[in-house]
Amino acid sequence: MRAAVWYKAKDVRVEEREVPELQTNEVKVRVAWTGICGSDLHEYLHGPLTVPVDEPDPLTKQTAPLTLGHEFSAVVEETGVNVSRVKKGDRVVINPLITYGNKDPHLDIYDGFNFIGLGRDGGFADYVVLDEKHLYMLPEGLTLEEGALVEPSAVSVQALKEGNFQAGQTVGVYGAGPIGLLTVLAAKAQGASTIVVYDISEARLEKAKELGATYVVNSADQDPVEVTKELVAEGFDVTIEAAGVEATVNQAIHTTKKRGIVVIVSLISNPIKITPMDLIGSGVVITSSAAYEPDVYKKTIDLIATGKMDVKQAVTKHISLENIVTEGFEALTKDKSEVKILVELSGEK
Ligand SMILES: [Zn+2]
């Protein structure tokens, strides 16, 4: 089968690989579509970040070179003898999160996690063999193409949940990349009264408007804190930080209302400065969000299947696996108007 295999930064090769042997509790799926995620791009540009290189990942027991791709939908091709939840021909979406599974769902992820497609072979391949627990049935009316957008959408739904978001509330979103834009859709789908998006790319702000942002603010031209006072006088109930720099974290704090919640969803791995007195004076709470709980994954599938979240709007391009480096990774690096690029594997609808 074909697979896009990560060897090292700037070295992802589309090559022939053997389909792994099926174990009794495993399912072989024929991949339909796989989305390119910011984390795939990070691995391509300056990895390894999550990809295990020197020693096997404790959860997956695998090391690079490995096949990337964690946002994918598929059709069941073959099932191991102990598999009971799916059968050949079922259309499925994959929850790529790998945990130890020893704790309650809301604690489980904090016990250590990795992903199919980052810690072990993933969905930029014709076939993937995986444990049946990773599969969710795709409801009638939901296309395989939409199925490939469940994973990043679930990240946004979880982030809003961590912010205790309720219908009727106001939401600020810093960063109009894929997660920021999907947060706009998730907030709108769940009844946000006002959504304001901040970015420095006009193309991305344009997209945010298209997807349902009430207002967009170009932070390069206008001071977010000053503008927000005019747009949402008291500040936001929930502010999602998906831009990932010191300035936006502080802007998020200063545009959140008293006792409101800032949720950091961007992966900031360097120290940044904030002033605790800003929190003491406002009661603003800073929290974070990581991946998604199983219930949030199911809820996200429902939000998309019922038409409340029209995730197709976030797709800007479809490409073939052979062109994943030039038309995928390189295009996302250079062109800010690209949001979600889908890689066609079987291309089934
Ligand atoms: Zn992702």
Side-chain angles (χ1 to χ4, degrees):
M1 65 168 181
R2 300 170 303 161
V5 181
W6 186 96
Y7 280 80
K8 59 181 196 292
K10 295 274 182 163
D11 185 5
V12 172
R13 303 175 202 170
V14 178
E15 59 187 25
E16 275 302 310
R17 283 208 139 189
E18 290 295 316
V19 181
E21 217 170 289
L22 193 63
Q23 305 299 313
T24 54
N25 59 330
E26 287 183 326
V27 178
K28 178 166 125 188
V29 298
R30 183 170 72 241
V31 180
W33 298 94
T34 307
I36 301 181
C37 176
S39 50
D40 298 320
L41 191 60
H42 283 304
E43 294 294 350
Y44 171 73
L45 290 173
H46 27 250
L49 300 156
T50 314
V51 174
V53 281
D54 295 327
E55 47 191 72
D57 178 86
L59 271 159
T60 69
K61 318 284 184 234
Q62 214 187 327
T63 43
L66 60 79
T67 307
L68 293 175
H70 59 272
E71 304 178 357
F72 61 109
S73 60
V75 177
V76 174
E77 175 93 3
E78 199 184 334
T79 54
V81 290
N82 292 336
V83 169
S84 56
R85 290 178 42 224
V86 294
K87 58 180 193 312
K88 186 176 162 71
D90 282 346
R91 299 154 71 249
V92 291
V93 55
I94 285 76
N95 179 340
L97 185 66
I98 307 167
T99 62
Y100 290 100
N102 298 329
K103 301 236 184 327
D104 289 344
H106 76 288
L107 276 178
D108 191 36
I109 190 165
Y110 299 108
D111 200 27
F113 65 96
N114 211 320
F115 295 89
I116 293 170
L118 285 166
R120 54 146 282 186
D121 291 325
F124 291 134
D126 290 312
Y127 297 96
V128 177
V129 170
L130 70 187
D131 194 295
E132 67 169 327
K133 70 181 179 202
H134 292 286
L135 305 181
Y136 290 65
M137 296 292 277
L138 212 56
E140 262 330 295
L142 209 158
T143 64
L144 283 158
E145 193 185 325
E146 289 166 314
L149 286 138
V150 169
E151 197 272 351
S153 303
V155 171
S156 300
V157 175
Q158 183 78 41
L160 287 167
K161 183 184 172 186
E162 299 293 351
N164 278 335
F165 170 75
Q166 309 292 330
Q169 290 190 329
T170 56
V171 178
V173 179
Y174 283 86
I179 294 300
L181 291 171
L182 289 168
T183 301
V184 172
L185 289 177
K188 193 174 74 167
Q190 296 177 88
S193 59
T194 303
I195 305 167
V196 184
V197 179
Y198 306 81
D199 202 284
I200 51 173
S201 154
E202 273 308 320
R204 289 190 156 179
L205 290 171
E206 205 49 55
K207 194 76 190 172
K209 261 232 148 124
E210 228 176 86
L211 299 194
T214 323
Y215 305 105
V216 297
V217 176
N218 190 325
S219 314
D221 302 338
Q222 287 177 291
D223 177 359
V225 180
E226 290 307 313
V227 181
T228 306
K229 284 179 193 155
E230 289 162 32
L231 301 176
V232 185
E234 291 183 358
F236 302 110
D237 292 292
V238 186
T239 310
I240 306 296
E241 204 295 309
V245 292
E246 184 175 300
T248 50
V249 172
N250 280 288
Q251 288 157 3
I253 293 169
H254 289 125
T255 50
T256 299
K257 80 176 193 191
K258 299 201 186 332
R259 291 281 194 182
I261 302 180
V262 173
V263 184
I264 297 181
V265 66
S266 52
L267 307 173
I268 306 171
S269 51
N270 54 295
I272 58 166
K273 275 189 198 158
I274 62 159
T275 305
M277 196 61 199
D278 290 343
L279 307 179
I280 292 163
S282 65
V284 167
V285 172
I286 303 181
T287 186
S288 62
S289 186
Y292 26 73
E293 297 160 11
D295 284 353
V296 166
Y297 218 76
K298 284 198 202 91
K299 179 182 180 173
T300 306
I301 293 172
D302 288 344
L303 284 171
I304 300 172
T306 53
K308 289 185 182 142
M309 245 181 116
D310 184 7
V311 292
K312 287 191 304 296
Q313 295 178 86
V315 178
T316 46
K317 194 159 73 168
H318 300 79
I319 63 171
S320 68
L321 184 66
E322 283 70 22
N323 296 329
I324 191 168
V325 172
T326 50
E327 290 184 22
F329 301 137
E330 291 292 339
L332 283 167
T333 310
K334 290 174 196 139
D335 185 354
K336 291 285 175 213
S337 68
E338 291 295 352
V339 182
K340 188 52 76 181
I341 296 179
L342 290 186
V343 177
E344 178 172 356
L345 278 305
S346 76
E348 287 159 90
K349 303 292 176 200

